[in-house]
Amino acid sequence: FNNTSQLKPSSTMKFALILSILIVGAAAFSPPTKETSSSHLKNCQFEDEVGAQAPAGFWDPLNLVRFEDQERFDRLRYVEVKHGRVSMLAVLGHIVTTAGYRLPGDIDKSGTAFTSIKTGIKGIQDIPQSGLIQIIAFIGFLELVVMKDATGKAEFPGDFRNGFIDFGWDSFSDEEKLSKRAIELNNGRAAMMGILGLMVHEQIS
């Protein structure tokens, strides 16, 4: 076998994987079909929630909220918002490190420089074990102590102001608040697909 024949299977597999991702992504943004099934009627209570907007409208193909109440829906929305925020930070971090920006100095006392750490998933292998433990511990601290509704006065799932940080939120009208929440949801959804695409690209390139 020559070099060309050896590369064909790999190229075909990459093309098939990329094509499948594009098809799934396109399906995610396709408009819902008009139906009057029991599943559709059951989900009507959530069709006016933030995030049910053009072009897809209310889109729940897996019926995750079909038999759920408002409390369960709010929990799923909270998880969606949180994952979206993490993904937005992940995409931004990927862009910054890919552009060559690094913190100055070393990441540990043994002389492992920040500049020596690779971009993306491969960078995990370059981080010392003690550093990974610190990262995991910090994430756990944020999850359990900081990123939560400590006062019980949240206006919506993902509202972690806790009477401390506002940035003028209370000065917005109800329409402006809904618009900004919808923008965050859309950006978070795009970021989740974006960071997934970046990770897949790392593995197949």
Side-chain angles (χ1 to χ4, degrees):
F1 296 95
N2 54 33
N3 291 335
T4 303
S5 63
Q6 291 177 349
L7 289 175
K8 284 183 178 179
S10 177
S11 300
T12 302
M13 291 177 63
K14 290 181 180 180
F15 176 77
L17 180 58
I18 294 173
L19 181 61
S20 63
I21 293 174
L22 291 175
I23 293 174
V24 172
F29 289 99
S30 61
T33 57
K34 294 182 179 180
E35 58 178 1
T36 57
S37 65
S38 59
S39 173
H40 176 74
L41 295 175
K42 191 70 177 181
N43 287 329
C44 283
Q45 60 177 320
F46 302 119
E47 288 188 348
D48 294 328
E49 292 284 348
V50 175
Q53 54 204 45
F58 182 83
W59 197 73
D60 183 25
L62 299 180
N63 289 321
L64 295 178
V65 295
R66 180 178 179 182
F67 300 108
E68 305 298 342
D69 55 16
Q70 186 67 46
E71 182 179 359
R72 176 59 177 170
F73 178 86
D74 289 343
R75 170 61 185 172
L76 293 175
R77 172 52 51 84
Y78 160 78
V79 172
E80 180 184 19
V81 170
K82 179 174 67 173
H83 288 175
R85 290 170 178 172
V86 171
S87 296
M88 285 188 278
L89 289 173
V91 171
L92 179 60
H94 203 290
I95 293 173
V96 170
T97 53
T98 300
Y101 294 99
R102 295 290 193 281
L103 292 173
D106 302 330
I107 195 174
D108 59 13
K109 294 183 178 180
S110 63
T112 304
F114 283 103
T115 54
S116 66
I117 298 178
K118 300 181 186 68
T119 299
I121 300 177
K122 294 181 179 178
I124 297 177
Q125 303 173 359
D126 300 329
I127 301 176
Q129 183 177 4
S130 58
L132 290 175
I133 294 175
Q134 292 176 54
I135 292 173
I136 294 173
F138 180 64
I139 293 173
F141 170 77
L142 292 177
E143 179 73 16
L144 298 175
V145 179
V146 179
M147 308 305 290
K148 67 176 185 177
D149 176 25
T151 62
K153 298 180 179 180
E155 289 185 16
F156 53 87
D159 179 8
F160 301 143
R161 291 174 296 156
N162 293 314
F164 177 64
I165 300 176
D166 185 76
F167 296 116
W169 179 261
D170 289 333
S171 65
F172 297 140
S173 66
D174 291 340
E175 291 184 358
E176 289 175 321
K177 289 180 179 181
L178 290 175
S179 175
K180 291 183 180 297
R181 288 178 58 197
I183 290 172
E184 182 186 26
L185 270 176
N186 278 344
N187 289 346
R189 290 166 177 173
M192 284 187 276
M193 295 183 67
I195 193 61
L196 176 61
L198 288 171
M199 291 189 294
V200 171
H201 176 71
E202 283 185 39
Q203 298 303 310
I204 65 177
S205 62

